[in-house]
Amino acid sequence: MDRSLWVAFCLGIVLFLLDETKHADAAENGDSTSKDADSVRGGGKDWPMLYVTTILEDPYVMARGTELEGYCIDLLEKLSEMLHFRYKVGVVKDGKYGSLSTNGNWTGMIGEIVRKEADLAVAPLTITAIREGVVDFTQPFLHTGIGILLEKDTTLEDASLFHFLAPFSKEMWAGILAAYVISSLCLFLAARVSPCEWDGNEETPFTFLNSLWFGAGSLALQGAVPPPKSLSVRIISAIWWLFSIVLLTAYIAGFSFVLESGSEQLSIQTFEDLVKQRHLEFGTMASSSTLRYFKDSKNPIQQMVYESMNKKKDTVLAQNYQEAIQRVLDSNYAFIGETVSQDLAVARHCNLIRSPEVLGARGFGLATPQGSPWTNKLSVAILQLGEAGDLDHLRGKWWESSCSHEDHDKWSPLKPHALGGIFLVLALGLALGMVVAVIELSKKSRRTADQEKKSCCSVFTEELSQRFRPREIQKPETAGKSKP
C-alpha cells in the first residue's frame, strides 16, 4: 500500500514538472496568448471564437510576461465587446507582416490569413493593392504615410545668411512687395488728382519716387514726410500705417520665435534632399509595403531611393522597427517608414525628428480571409469607434510623449491667408482714398464750371488731363536781341 502511494506521488511530481516546462517553453517562444471576451464581460460562452494573428510591435502589441498589451489589443477588446466574439491571439511564427516570396507563397500574417491558419490579423498592417488581392481589409483604423526619421545632431545645419526672412513665406513677401508698390502708386495718383495737393501751378511733393519713400518710411516707423494735406491722401496714408503696424507686429513675433528656437535648421527636408546627400545611409524594413512602394513607383526621385536601398540591401534594410530606430540613434542612418510609427519614436526619443515631406497616404487595416462574413461587421465597428472618438483616445493613450512640450511646437513661415484680413482692409482703404480724391476734383470742377459757364464734365476732363499731361520744359529766352 505504501509503495503504491509512493509511485502515485512520484508520477504526480513528474506530471507537474512537465506541465511547468511546457508553459515556460510557450512563454519563451511567444506562443499564443489567450484572451476570451466572456472573461471580461462575464458571459458570452456561446460567442464564436476567432483566431487572431499579430506581430510584436511597440506600441501596437507588446509582451508583458505571458500577456499581450498595446493599441491593437485594446482595439481588439473593444471590437469583441461590440460584435460579441471570443478570440485567441497568437504571434506570427516568422515575425513578418507579409509579402509574396519568390516561390509564390505569402509570408507573415498575410500568409497565415491566406492559409486560413488565422481568422483575423490585428496589427499595423498596411492596406495595399497586392495584399487586397489575396485577403480582405477592413476600413483603416489608423492613417499614415511614408516619412524620413532622422537623428537631430546629424541633420541640423547652420542657418543661412538670409535667415531673417524666415518669419514670412515667399508668397507673403511677394504679397507685401505688391501691396507696397500699389499703395505708393495710389498715394501718387490721389495726390495728383486732389486739388488740395496739386493746383497745377507747382509740383506736388508726392511724386512717384517720393510716394515710394513715404511708404518705406512708414514701414520703418519713421514718420510722415512730406505731410499729407488732402483727405484722400490722409486716408491712404492712415490705412498704410495700420497695415505697416500689423505687419511689423507679425514679423517681430515670428522672428522672436525663430531666434528662440535656435539658429539651426533641418538639412534634409525632402526625399530629394535625402538622395542628394552622401553622409547618411538610408533604408527601410525588409519585405515591407514601403519597400514595394518605392520599387513600383514611376517617380524619378523615388526610383533613385529604391535603387540606392536595393544596392545596399544587406546592410540598410532593417528586420523590425526597434532595430531601425536603434540604428538611427547609434549611427549615421535615416529610416524610411510609416509616419505614425515614426511619430511614436519622436515622442519617446527627443533627439529624433521626422522630415516634413510625407509620401503615399495610406492606412492600417485588419485583414480577414477573402469572403469572410466578419469583414463588413468589423469595418462598421471601426467607423463607429472613430466617430465616437475612441480611436483618438487609444492613440493618445499609447502615443504619449516623454519629451517637453517645447519640442513639439510646430511653426512654419507665415502665409498670406494668415493676414488676409489686413490685406483686405488695405485694399478697401486704397479704393476709398481714390474715390475721395475723385470727389474732391469733381467739386472743384463744378465750381469752375459755374464760374466759367461751362459743362462740369468738360471741366473735369480738362482738369484730369492737365494733371497727367507731361510738363514741357520751357527754354529760357535770350537776354537781349542780336546786335545789328
Side-chain angles (χ1 to χ4, degrees):
M1 184 68 177
D2 293 339
R3 185 175 182 181
S4 61
L5 289 174
W6 173 252
V7 171
F9 175 77
C10 291
L11 287 174
I13 293 296
V14 170
L15 292 174
F16 175 77
L17 292 175
L18 288 174
D19 186 64
E20 287 295 320
T21 303
K22 180 180 179 181
H23 282 293
D25 291 341
E28 291 178 0
N29 296 329
D31 282 352
S32 300
T33 301
S34 299
K35 282 178 173 261
D36 292 337
D38 56 354
S39 64
V40 176
R41 296 173 61 88
K45 292 184 179 180
D46 296 333
W47 292 355
M49 171 70 75
L50 295 183
Y51 292 91
V52 180
T53 181
T54 189
I55 191 170
L56 294 178
E57 188 71 63
D58 187 15
Y60 304 98
V61 180
M62 299 172 288
R64 292 293 182 267
T66 59
E67 297 293 317
L68 296 178
E69 65 176 16
Y71 178 96
C72 288
I73 299 302
D74 288 352
L75 175 63
L76 190 57
E77 289 179 355
K78 289 183 177 294
L79 293 174
S80 171
E81 294 172 2
M82 295 175 66
L83 301 179
H84 298 166
F85 64 84
R86 295 182 298 157
Y87 59 91
K88 186 174 183 180
V89 183
V91 178
V92 61
K93 297 180 180 63
D94 60 5
K96 296 181 179 179
Y97 286 87
S99 61
L100 191 61
S101 61
T102 54
N103 59 9
N105 295 325
W106 282 88
T107 62
M109 291 178 287
I110 298 296
E112 292 188 359
I113 295 294
V114 171
R115 295 188 297 270
K116 296 187 177 180
E117 297 174 5
D119 302 305
L120 182 65
V122 181
L125 197 58
T126 307
I127 302 173
T128 63
I130 189 170
R131 288 173 176 173
E132 188 75 55
V134 293
V135 299
D136 288 341
F137 279 102
T138 64
Q139 289 287 328
F141 58 87
L142 271 179
H143 294 274
T144 183
I146 300 175
I148 309 170
L149 185 65
L150 304 159
E151 207 271 329
K152 288 182 180 179
D153 293 338
T154 61
T155 55
L156 291 178
E157 61 180 12
D158 292 335
S160 66
L161 294 175
F162 298 97
H163 197 50
F164 67 91
L165 299 175
F168 292 156
S169 64
K170 295 179 180 178
E171 297 83 1
M172 188 68 176
W173 284 115
I176 293 171
L177 179 61
Y180 167 64
V181 173
I182 293 173
S183 298
S184 300
L185 179 61
C186 288
L187 192 66
F188 162 72
L189 294 176
R192 184 58 65 97
V193 170
S194 175
C196 298
E197 297 288 347
W198 189 68
D199 58 5
N201 295 325
E202 59 183 19
E203 185 69 27
T204 175
F206 282 99
T207 63
F208 184 65
L209 290 179
N210 285 349
S211 298
L212 289 172
W213 180 252
F214 180 90
S218 300
L219 276 174
L221 303 180
Q222 294 303 306
V225 178
K229 300 176 183 178
S230 67
L231 177 62
S232 58
V233 176
R234 288 177 178 179
I235 290 175
I236 294 176
S237 301
I239 206 69
W240 176 250
W241 292 338
L242 175 63
F243 178 84
S244 301
I245 291 172
V246 174
L247 198 67
L248 286 173
T249 304
Y251 177 83
I252 292 171
F255 195 57
S256 298
F257 188 94
V258 171
L259 293 178
E260 290 175 2
S261 62
S263 59
E264 296 178 325
Q265 59 184 1
L266 195 63
S267 61
I268 299 176
Q269 301 277 344
T270 65
F271 282 88
E272 184 175 0
D273 296 336
L274 183 66
V275 171
K276 290 181 177 179
Q277 58 81 38
R278 291 293 179 265
H279 68 282
L280 285 181
E281 288 188 331
F282 56 89
T284 185
M285 286 178 56
S287 304
S288 64
S289 59
T290 301
L291 184 63
R292 178 167 290 277
Y293 173 85
F294 285 98
K295 181 180 180 180
D296 298 337
S297 176
K298 304 301 181 183
N299 183 286
I301 298 297
Q302 297 172 17
Q303 287 179 345
M304 293 172 64
V305 172
Y306 174 74
E307 290 172 0
S308 177
M309 292 190 296
N310 192 46
K311 288 179 182 178
K312 305 176 182 179
K313 59 183 179 181
D314 294 334
T315 58
V316 301
L317 297 183
Q319 298 303 315
N320 51 62
Y321 260 93
Q322 286 76 17
E323 177 189 341
I325 293 170
Q326 198 60 44
R327 287 190 63 178
V328 175
L329 292 170
D330 296 341
S331 60
N332 293 333
Y333 181 77
F335 175 62
I336 302 173
E338 305 288 352
T339 56
V340 67
S341 299
Q342 291 178 347
D343 289 341
L344 174 70
V346 171
R348 296 187 176 181
H349 303 277
C350 302
N351 57 333
L352 295 182
I353 190 171
R354 180 169 64 82
S355 64
E357 186 178 26
V358 177
L359 301 177
R362 52 183 62 194
F364 292 156
L366 310 183
T368 61
Q370 287 187 326
S372 171
W374 290 99
T375 308
N376 187 59
K377 296 178 182 179
L378 291 167
S379 293
V380 173
I382 289 173
L383 291 175
Q384 291 174 346
L385 290 174
E387 293 171 357
D390 291 335
L391 296 182
D392 292 334
H393 172 72
L394 288 180
R395 175 156 183 172
K397 173 184 176 181
W398 292 103
W399 268 257
E400 184 178 1
S401 175
S402 60
C403 303
S404 63
H405 70 279
E406 294 178 356
D407 291 337
H408 296 280
D409 286 336
K410 298 298 182 181
W411 175 86
S412 59
L414 206 61
K415 296 186 180 296
H417 64 79
L419 292 179
I422 194 62
F423 278 97
L424 178 60
V425 171
L426 177 64
L428 295 176
L430 296 179
L432 178 61
M434 293 304 299
V435 170
V436 172
V438 173
I439 292 174
E440 289 174 338
L441 182 59
S442 65
K443 285 183 177 181
K444 181 188 177 184
S445 301
R446 186 178 295 109
R447 289 194 300 267
T448 304
D450 292 341
Q451 293 173 0
E452 299 180 359
K453 306 300 181 182
K454 293 182 179 180
S455 169
C456 181
C457 292
S458 62
V459 174
F460 181 83
T461 304
E462 290 176 4
E463 291 280 355
L464 202 60
S465 61
Q466 183 184 5
R467 280 162 166 73
F468 294 102
R469 184 185 303 145
R471 297 176 65 87
E472 296 180 358
I473 302 176
Q474 298 179 352
K475 295 182 180 180
E477 296 182 358
T478 56
K481 296 180 180 178
S482 60
K483 294 182 180 181

